[in-house]
Each structure stands twice: as C-alpha cells, then as structure tokens.
Amino acid sequence: FYDDIHTNKENEEKKNIPYIPNKEIEEKKNIPLEKRTSFFLKEKIQEKRDQVNEFKDYQFPLTTKNYEEIRIILCSFLNADDSKGGRLYLGIDENSEVKGISLNHKNKDNLRNDLINLVYDFYPKCRVDKIYIYFIPIKESKDNKIHFVSNSYVIKIRVYPGDPEFLYSMTKLGYLSYKRVNDKCEELKPYEIYDEIIKRDGNKNKNENNIIAKEKDPEPEVNQQDLENSDDEIPIFGNEEEPTKKGPGKHNKNNKNR
C-alpha cells in the first residue's frame, strides 16, 4: 500500500517532465553542443558556461537590458585572442537546462534583425561574415513518440573572432571594449586597451585566413509544421547583408533573410 502511494507520488511529480527515450537522449549527449541540430525541452545538456559558450534564459520580447547584455557578449567574442570566437545560446539557462523561446514566424524575422543590428555601432565595423544566427527547434515526447514543440527554439548566435589586427569597441565615440575571461565578459581598463592595441597592431601582416578556421555550424533540423505556417519556402540561416538600422525594434524588410 505504502509502496503504491510512493509510486503514485513519484508519477505525479514527473507529470511535468517530458519523457525522453533513453536511446535518443544518449545519442544527443554524444554530439558536441556546437553540432546539435535540435534540443529536448527541459533537457540538461552536458556543457557548462565557459570561455566559448554562454547561456541566457531570455523570453520574447527581449528587454533593453537583455539586448545590452548580448552586445557585451558579442563584443567579447569578437575580441577573442584565439581562433574560436564563441557561441551564445538564448533559451538555455545558466544551469544548462533547455527552456526554449516561443517565436512565431514574424517574431523570428524581427528578432533576427534586432540581433544583427546590435553590432551597428561597433568600431571598427563588424564584417557580415562574423556573426551567424540559427533557430534550433525543440522536441518533446508524447505517447512515447518524439514531436517538435511548435514555435519553440533555442537561438544560437555564432560569433567568429574579429580581424586579428583590431580591438573592437561597442561605440565609435570612445573605447568600450570587452574580452571573454573564462565564463565572464570583462570590460577592459584603459591600460589594457592600450596593451591590446599595441599587441594587435603586430598582426597587420598576418593572413587572417590562416589564423581563423571558418567552418560553419550545421543547419538546424526543420519543423515542417512551423515551416508550412510561414511565408518562406525554405528556412534561411546566417547573414547575407550588413546591418542597416541602429538598435533593436527597428526592423528592415530588406534584412529579412539574415
């Protein structure tokens, strides 16, 4: 009798936790985070926040504070000393749990524009091949079958390191620069900015193509149902045009496919 009560209690507690078949979740665990093409709702991924990975549990619409935090992270990844840059995942919390962000087709277009426009004021100018945006779909299990969660995504922002001879600033009016140190973005002090500029000045004659390996991340899986409800025939990932507006909330239809 008491065993039955205990079992029922456990079942009640687990009602809100999606069932994930052991085989599929184990297969996903063996895939590096940067190679993931889908996630499971409430999945606890193995990777933690570190030098090249940052997680933020934001919800749409993003706040002004959210956008400012993203700008700092983008700047710090652009200023990476190595050839890795970094990846920012929106919809994963700081404990590495997948929460997702709910976005319809119009929301995705607007958010894509907002994120790209965040680097508009960066100096030197951020090249268009430095930042790529991916909307990675989320799955869950119902009736022991795997289904896509409609309009739910983890947004991955892939940032390649900037040109090695430059130290990037968030404004043209003075140096406001950040670098990634372990799992944090640290603002550079005036003497650190001076040292960085002198150091990077020595990289002018280096061939960037020999320094930075620009292997693109895999394209996400496609939730066909969401695709059928959109105006696009195929999903488009990454950037094809330069930012043309200043700041979030100012959407440009010409930048739709970035």
Side-chain angles (χ1 to χ4, degrees):
F1 173 79
Y2 290 105
D3 288 340
D4 290 341
I5 293 178
H6 182 69
T7 300
N8 290 335
K9 183 179 179 181
E10 287 184 337
N11 290 337
E12 286 294 323
E13 292 175 346
K14 293 179 180 178
K15 277 185 177 180
N16 294 325
I17 302 178
Y19 166 77
I20 303 175
N22 290 334
K23 181 179 179 181
E24 183 155 355
I25 193 171
E26 288 302 321
E27 289 176 350
K28 292 293 184 184
K29 283 183 178 180
N30 294 327
I31 301 176
L33 179 60
E34 67 272 13
K35 300 296 184 183
R36 293 287 297 267
T37 58
S38 65
F39 291 97
F40 285 102
L41 186 63
K42 297 187 178 181
E43 171 190 356
K44 193 75 174 285
I45 61 177
Q46 292 182 330
E47 290 83 357
K48 307 293 183 184
R49 296 171 57 248
D50 55 24
Q51 184 80 19
V52 296
N53 292 308
E54 180 61 272
F55 307 144
K56 291 293 182 182
D57 182 20
Y58 295 155
Q59 294 301 317
F60 188 84
L62 275 63
T63 66
T64 300
K65 181 181 178 182
N66 294 157
Y67 283 118
E68 186 61 20
E69 289 176 343
I70 294 173
R71 289 185 78 231
I72 291 173
I73 295 168
L74 298 183
C75 183
S76 67
F77 283 150
L78 281 170
N79 284 330
D81 288 324
D82 55 28
S83 61
K84 294 181 180 179
R87 294 173 178 84
L88 168 60
Y89 295 85
L90 307 182
I92 299 179
D93 69 18
E94 294 189 353
N95 296 316
S96 303
E97 183 176 335
V98 175
K99 298 296 185 65
I101 298 180
S102 295
L103 296 166
N104 60 29
H105 180 65
K106 183 178 180 180
N107 294 154
K108 286 169 64 179
D109 282 345
N110 290 342
L111 183 56
R112 181 189 288 112
N113 278 345
D114 284 348
L115 293 172
I116 291 301
N117 289 334
L118 290 177
V119 300
Y120 181 89
D121 285 326
F122 278 24
Y123 182 82
K125 190 173 183 179
C126 178
R127 281 173 32 190
V128 296
D129 62 346
K130 297 297 183 184
I131 299 175
Y132 287 79
I133 298 172
Y134 302 84
F135 293 86
I136 304 178
I138 294 178
K139 298 177 177 180
E140 65 178 346
S141 177
K142 289 183 179 179
D143 302 324
N144 292 335
K145 293 183 178 179
I146 301 298
H147 302 271
F148 284 103
V149 180
S150 181
N151 295 323
S152 186
Y153 303 89
V154 166
I155 303 170
K156 177 174 65 174
I157 307 174
R158 173 62 167 118
V159 184
Y160 291 93
D163 295 321
E165 64 186 272
F166 297 142
L167 178 67
Y168 290 83
S169 170
M170 291 169 55
T171 174
K172 303 173 183 177
L173 303 179
Y175 263 102
L176 179 59
S177 297
Y178 288 81
K179 287 190 68 176
R180 189 77 172 175
V181 180
N182 297 323
D183 62 348
K184 300 184 184 303
C185 300
E186 295 192 357
E187 182 179 351
L188 295 179
K189 299 178 177 61
Y191 72 89
E192 293 174 321
I193 291 174
Y194 176 80
D195 290 344
E196 284 287 336
I197 291 175
I198 295 299
K199 180 179 70 175
R200 291 165 187 260
D201 189 60
N203 293 330
K204 283 185 177 179
N205 296 324
K206 292 185 178 180
N207 185 340
E208 184 192 357
N209 293 326
N210 292 332
I211 299 173
I212 301 172
K214 293 186 177 179
E215 179 183 354
K216 289 186 179 180
D217 289 4
E219 293 186 356
E221 296 177 34
V222 176
N223 182 346
Q224 193 63 37
Q225 182 178 358
D226 287 350
L227 191 61
E228 290 172 355
N229 293 333
S230 76
D231 296 327
D232 287 347
E233 295 182 359
I234 58 173
I236 300 177
F237 310 100
N239 312 327
E240 295 176 359
E241 301 176 20
E242 297 182 8
T244 56
K245 295 287 183 179
K246 292 186 179 181
K250 299 180 180 179
H251 310 300
N252 185 342
K253 291 182 179 180
N254 293 329
N255 289 345
K256 178 179 178 182
N257 293 337
R258 291 182 45 207

